[in-house]
Amino acid sequence: MLSSPYTSMSRMIVPHATPTPAAPRAVRKAVVPAAGLGTRFLPATKATSKEMLPVVDKPAIQYVVEEAAAAGLDDVLMITGRHKRAIEDHFDHAFELEQALTAKGDTVRLDAVRDPARLADIHHIRQGDPLGLGHAVLCARHHVGDQPFAVLLGDDLIDPRETLLSRMLEVRDRYQGSVVALMEVPPEQIHLYGCAAVEPSGEDGVVRVTGLVEKPSRADAPSRYAVIGRYVLDPAVFGILEHVPPGRGGEIQLTDALQELAAGGTVHGVVFDGLRYDTGDKADYLRTVVQLACDRPDLGPEFTAWLKEFAAGLEGTGAERGRFAA
Ligand code: G1P
């Protein structure tokens, strides 16, 4: 048996009200696109969204909202698709469940149930037609207004100990314009990402982005800098998204709109080399769950010991594997 299952990571996360930035930030709103069809995870995503798949014991989307809240963003807009309900319910109160846990005096689980609704002021809007990430972001226009805002994609989980989003907000404060998170990836993986052409900015860990291309072939990639799913965007992006033609895959691509902004010299990149977990497909998702489970103070020691034994068993015969799988 694994012990104390609810000493969860959320307990380590500072709720949105606590880390008040020294000066009021220009950026208060985060947009979380969550309207994808989740086809890579069927049949699990037949009746729920891929963002609701559990990563250890929390849905992936909760990690993302916790990250936004920890960076001081207290207004989160979810762009949802056909599985709006599960996401809405998760970030709302669950009165019956809360009553039952209160009656039992189970305060630890009660907190775990209440945490998602306390993280931020959460809003929901439906994308309607799934016309691409750029279109999803455009759906946020009315809610965001004429202010800079953050966009966080659920396929990329950033370790709660990292401060990537706060660094990006600082860079926006200093340079204005838009900021993307960049990570160096092996050349054979660049076709999976938006890719940035960059120049030094004169500041460590910050680059000027001179161009962006969505999922280029290895030969066409201007660099090994992949855009990972964190953006701080100037509201000027909305005007561009309105007219940008469908790009790769026939979809309205956020990268194409950012390319226009980059051509105008208003995009910077924060280079990230910290802990990022990719939940984009089944194998990545499994790796993420294992990595985060190993890291959990409540589960990690026992789970890691089992995992080592299991991995050693994989080297052996089928009979040994059966023993460890029990
Ligand atoms: C999206 C973006 C891409 C970015 C990636 C990061 O692609 O279009 O530019 O590099 O997220 O995860 P997706 O993975 O949704 O196809």
Side-chain angles (χ1 to χ4, degrees):
M1 274 287 285
L2 296 163
S3 58
S4 314
Y6 282 92
T7 318
S8 75
M9 262 174 130
S10 65
R11 306 262 54 81
M12 295 158 50
I13 309 268
V14 190
H16 74 285
T18 313
T20 312
R25 278 207 190 286
V27 183
R28 297 231 64 93
K29 293 183 179 172
V31 172
V32 179
L37 295 176
T39 44
R40 281 186 280 187
F41 286 90
L42 284 169
T45 47
K46 183 179 172 191
T48 193
S49 69
K50 96 180 151 164
E51 289 78 8
M52 285 300 293
L53 294 180
V55 175
V56 188
D57 56 5
K58 289 188 289 191
I61 199 165
Q62 187 174 334
Y63 291 85
V64 171
V65 176
E66 285 171 349
E67 182 190 340
L73 306 182
D74 54 12
D75 181 300
V76 176
L77 177 68
M78 310 277 181
I79 314 289
T80 55
R82 63 203 170 104
H83 300 310
K84 179 187 163 87
R85 178 79 190 277
I87 296 178
E88 255 183 11
D89 285 351
H90 185 74
F91 290 99
D92 199 354
H93 290 286
F95 291 106
E96 279 182 8
L97 194 51
E98 289 177 30
Q99 261 179 358
L101 291 168
T102 306
K104 278 193 197 165
D106 191 342
T107 51
V108 177
R109 287 189 175 85
L110 187 59
D111 267 346
V113 165
R114 286 179 171 164
D115 275 348
R118 291 168 173 161
L119 286 168
D121 204 358
I122 312 243
H123 307 266
H124 305 267
I125 191 174
R126 260 194 211 260
Q127 185 179 0
D129 295 329
L131 300 178
L133 177 59
H135 177 254
V137 171
L138 185 55
C139 292
R141 183 177 205 168
H142 183 67
H143 181 85
V144 166
D146 197 24
Q147 296 293 321
F149 61 105
V151 174
L152 291 85
L153 307 186
D155 281 355
D156 295 288
L157 298 189
I158 304 295
D159 192 282
R161 291 162 291 194
E162 303 286 355
T163 55
L164 171 63
L165 191 55
S166 295
R167 276 171 54 211
M168 294 174 73
L169 294 170
E170 281 161 26
V171 168
R172 154 76 202 187
D173 282 349
R174 273 205 303 286
Y175 294 94
Q176 301 299 294
S178 299
V179 184
V180 295
L182 299 175
M183 200 160 186
E184 271 198 88
V185 300
E188 63 275 14
Q189 287 177 19
I190 199 70
H191 70 281
L192 301 170
Y193 298 93
C195 176
V198 302
E199 281 176 357
S201 71
E203 190 182 329
D204 222 19
V206 179
V207 290
R208 281 173 14 86
V209 175
T210 57
L212 282 152
V213 49
E214 178 68 1
K215 304 200 174 102
S217 68
R218 183 176 174 166
D220 293 337
S223 76
R224 285 170 53 177
Y225 284 113
V227 178
I228 54 171
R230 298 293 178 274
Y231 309 79
V232 176
L233 299 178
D234 191 87
V237 76
F238 291 129
I240 300 176
L241 283 169
E242 274 198 329
H243 68 69
V244 82
R248 201 174 168 84
E251 297 188 342
I252 309 287
Q253 295 290 352
L254 180 59
T255 305
D256 295 345
L258 288 173
Q259 157 59 24
E260 267 194 61
L261 291 173
T266 61
V267 181
H268 284 82
V270 168
V271 179
F272 182 64
D273 60 2
L275 293 168
R276 162 184 170 260
Y277 311 98
D278 187 347
T279 62
D281 66 24
K282 286 179 202 170
D284 291 333
Y285 170 79
L286 291 173
R287 278 190 277 270
T288 301
V289 174
V290 170
Q291 280 175 280
L292 287 174
C294 287
D295 241 7
R296 280 270 295 260
D298 56 333
L299 302 170
E302 195 167 343
F303 181 66
T304 307
W306 171 83
L307 189 62
K308 281 183 185 159
E309 244 188 289
F310 179 72
L314 291 179
E315 306 290 323
T317 66
E320 280 168 299
R321 286 175 62 172
R323 183 158 58 87
F324 290 114

